[in-house]
Amino acid sequence: MNRNTEKRPAVFVATDSAMESTSGGIQIFTREYQLILQMAGFHLNNILFSPSNGLREKIMRRIDRNPYRYFIPEYLANQVLSFCQSKEVSTVFLNGEDLAPLSEVLKKKQPDLQVILLSYGLESADYLHEIRTRSWRSDFSRVRSSHVSRLGRLLVEESKHRRSVDAVLCMSDFEAEIENWIGAKKVLVVPRLISLIPFEWDPMLGRVGFVGRLDHPPNLEGLRLVLEELKGRCPVDFKLRIVGAPSRFGASLSRQFPFVEYLGVLSEQDLHLEAKTWSCSMNPVFCYARGASTKLAVLLGWGLPVITTLEGMRGYEWGADIPIVADSPKEFAKALLSLAFDARKRNEAKAGVRRICESSVTADRIAKRISEFLLSLPHNHTESY
């Protein structure tokens, strides 16, 4: 792509909430995609909407349990098509899997549109983990037939969406394999960005920390597995500080495990003040959840020593060291205790984090990949750049 050429116009369809300036995963991913697509040569025209949540939609969701329906307002397809036709725009980016059904309507009315899905991960991937973790340490006897039926419907709907989507940009090699399996025509992995913005680190002996959603099944499962391994083997001055919502999950963990201190939800400023006291941070994900672990980029960007897993590193690309990786909950707990009480290991890990951040893939490199990928698509109407 010649950076001196005029940028190609495109439509970027997203929810209002995805464009908010908050630190949630969807908001971070949306900002990254917008930045990279602009660097790849696109001038993005945002079309934003609020998900359908009226009385009719609420009733229909109870009657019709099919997934991905009644989320997109009926007017949205015509609004996108009208803009594309009036401005001679031929490329539409759909921001998130929930918008995938829109592709079918757009393609029926304007087959020459190039529709690109920006996937944050398939809902079916996380729903399987939700089903599995409902039967925490049991034999799946609590799984209902309705859960199994919904998982099947999710997969069928996701496969159906791929018929009308020209290409999918996803977050990890794991997601790319699933995309190929369910019938995506073309797939490109877009790794996460890491911005090194370290703060003054003043770790307290024996204190480690976790930040993340506690109602996300992979997060909660990983925490539970590690906490069970720590129980009975950690010194009395060991403290695991948990930041996140909902509070009922955090409060439950603090009641179960005396070394857990639940802090609730903190402001960004208070979170920085808290995290600077951690000997290390943790990303205990032991399953292949949808998308990528946003919090890993945040923790690395803070310059903190991080313990993660192979599954927790999905969706990242760097050329130097890797974080401290634990293959099992037992090894994870062992690594936590080591960093919590060994200053030399903490400092070595912190130096490794800086090398990781400095060697991480850049937005410019990702933009080049996207540009070349879209140019390779058949009948993509991108001859002008």
Side-chain angles (χ1 to χ4, degrees):
M1 179 186 67
N2 183 351
R3 296 296 177 87
N4 295 321
T5 60
E6 184 178 352
K7 289 195 173 185
R8 179 175 180 79
V11 166
F12 188 92
V13 187
T15 62
D16 294 317
S17 60
M19 300 293 287
E20 293 175 354
S21 58
T22 61
S23 57
I26 297 299
Q27 290 75 23
I28 291 173
F29 294 145
T30 300
R31 289 194 290 270
E32 287 185 10
Y33 269 129
Q34 287 231 319
L35 169 67
I36 292 167
L37 291 173
Q38 289 165 0
M39 294 178 68
F42 287 96
H43 172 72
L44 301 178
N45 299 275
N46 297 330
I47 293 183
L48 309 181
F49 71 97
S50 297
S52 296
N53 201 33
L55 180 61
R56 174 184 174 275
E57 287 75 23
K58 290 179 180 178
I59 293 174
M60 290 306 297
R61 287 184 194 124
R62 288 184 175 274
I63 298 173
D64 182 357
R65 305 297 292 178
N66 284 313
Y68 294 109
R69 299 190 187 182
Y70 315 111
F71 177 83
I72 301 171
E74 293 181 358
Y75 69 82
L76 187 61
N78 287 334
Q79 182 181 355
V80 172
L81 289 168
S82 177
F83 185 92
C84 289
Q85 291 163 3
S86 64
K87 303 296 183 181
E88 297 184 347
V89 174
S90 61
T91 302
V92 176
F93 294 102
L94 302 179
N95 188 49
E97 182 66 31
D98 286 334
L99 276 68
L102 187 62
S103 62
E104 185 176 5
V105 183
L106 296 177
K107 283 290 197 176
K108 280 184 178 178
K109 295 187 176 182
Q110 192 172 332
D112 62 340
L113 269 184
Q114 183 184 73
V115 180
I116 312 297
L117 177 63
L118 310 177
S119 175
Y120 303 136
L122 293 157
E123 186 174 341
S124 58
D126 264 9
Y127 192 66
L128 175 60
H129 294 307
E130 183 177 337
I131 290 174
R132 184 174 54 76
T133 55
R134 285 176 188 269
S135 296
W136 172 250
R137 294 196 166 177
S138 77
D139 59 357
F140 279 71
S141 60
R142 293 171 58 189
V143 176
R144 299 177 182 175
S145 60
S146 60
H147 299 151
V148 178
S149 177
R150 176 172 170 77
L151 178 60
R153 288 198 299 268
L154 278 167
L155 282 167
V156 170
E157 284 295 307
E158 289 163 352
S159 183
K160 176 186 174 185
H161 299 160
R162 273 40 186 189
R163 292 183 175 182
S164 51
V165 169
D166 292 293
V168 178
L169 306 187
C170 66
M171 293 185 170
S172 69
D173 293 333
F174 158 70
E175 292 276 359
E177 293 297 331
I178 299 180
E179 289 289 348
N180 289 326
W181 177 60
I182 65 174
K185 298 170 187 173
K186 294 286 184 179
V187 183
L188 178 69
V189 175
V190 180
R192 307 276 45 84
L193 297 174
I194 302 175
S195 299
L196 182 60
I197 311 175
F199 46 73
E200 184 180 352
W201 188 40
D202 187 21
M204 294 183 63
L205 185 71
R207 177 182 289 190
V208 301
F210 170 89
V211 57
R213 289 292 307 184
L214 300 175
D215 56 356
H216 183 50
N219 282 348
L220 184 59
E221 177 188 46
L223 266 176
R224 279 173 164 170
L225 289 170
V226 174
L227 293 176
E228 288 287 349
E229 289 293 337
L230 287 167
K231 186 170 61 176
R233 62 181 294 184
C234 58
V236 293
D237 53 348
F238 175 81
K239 299 298 178 185
L240 197 162
R241 312 263 283 186
I242 293 179
V243 178
S247 60
R248 67 182 185 277
F249 290 95
S252 175
L253 292 175
S254 66
R255 287 193 299 269
Q256 288 178 260
F257 303 97
F259 53 87
V260 167
E261 295 180 344
Y262 176 60
L263 307 180
V265 178
L266 302 181
S267 68
E268 188 169 348
Q269 181 179 3
D270 288 341
L271 179 57
H272 285 182
L273 292 173
E274 168 61 27
K276 67 184 288 186
T277 69
W278 295 348
S279 294
C280 68
S281 55
M282 56 189 296
N283 182 36
V285 178
F286 294 96
C287 65
Y288 283 95
R290 71 189 293 188
S293 293
T294 317
K295 63 178 177 292
L296 181 59
V298 174
L299 297 170
L300 290 170
W302 288 345
L304 296 179
V306 179
I307 303 173
T308 186
T309 63
L310 288 175
E311 298 90 340
M313 292 193 301
R314 70 199 184 285
Y316 289 85
E317 182 180 320
W318 45 65
D321 305 38
I322 62 172
I324 296 174
V325 177
D327 293 331
S328 67
K330 183 176 182 179
E331 289 300 313
F332 203 108
K334 182 179 177 181
L336 269 179
L337 292 174
S338 177
L339 288 185
F341 295 100
D342 191 322
R344 181 182 61 81
K345 290 184 178 179
R346 282 199 301 271
N347 291 328
E348 288 176 354
K350 188 174 188 299
V353 166
R354 175 171 287 275
R355 291 192 293 271
I356 289 167
C357 294
E358 291 173 346
S359 68
S360 180
V361 65
T362 62
D364 189 67
R365 285 169 58 191
I366 299 173
K368 186 174 184 294
R369 293 179 196 176
I370 290 177
S371 176
E372 293 172 350
F373 173 75
L374 295 181
L375 281 168
S376 73
L377 298 181
H379 311 297
N380 56 32
H381 306 284
T382 57
E383 294 81 6
S384 62
Y385 76 101

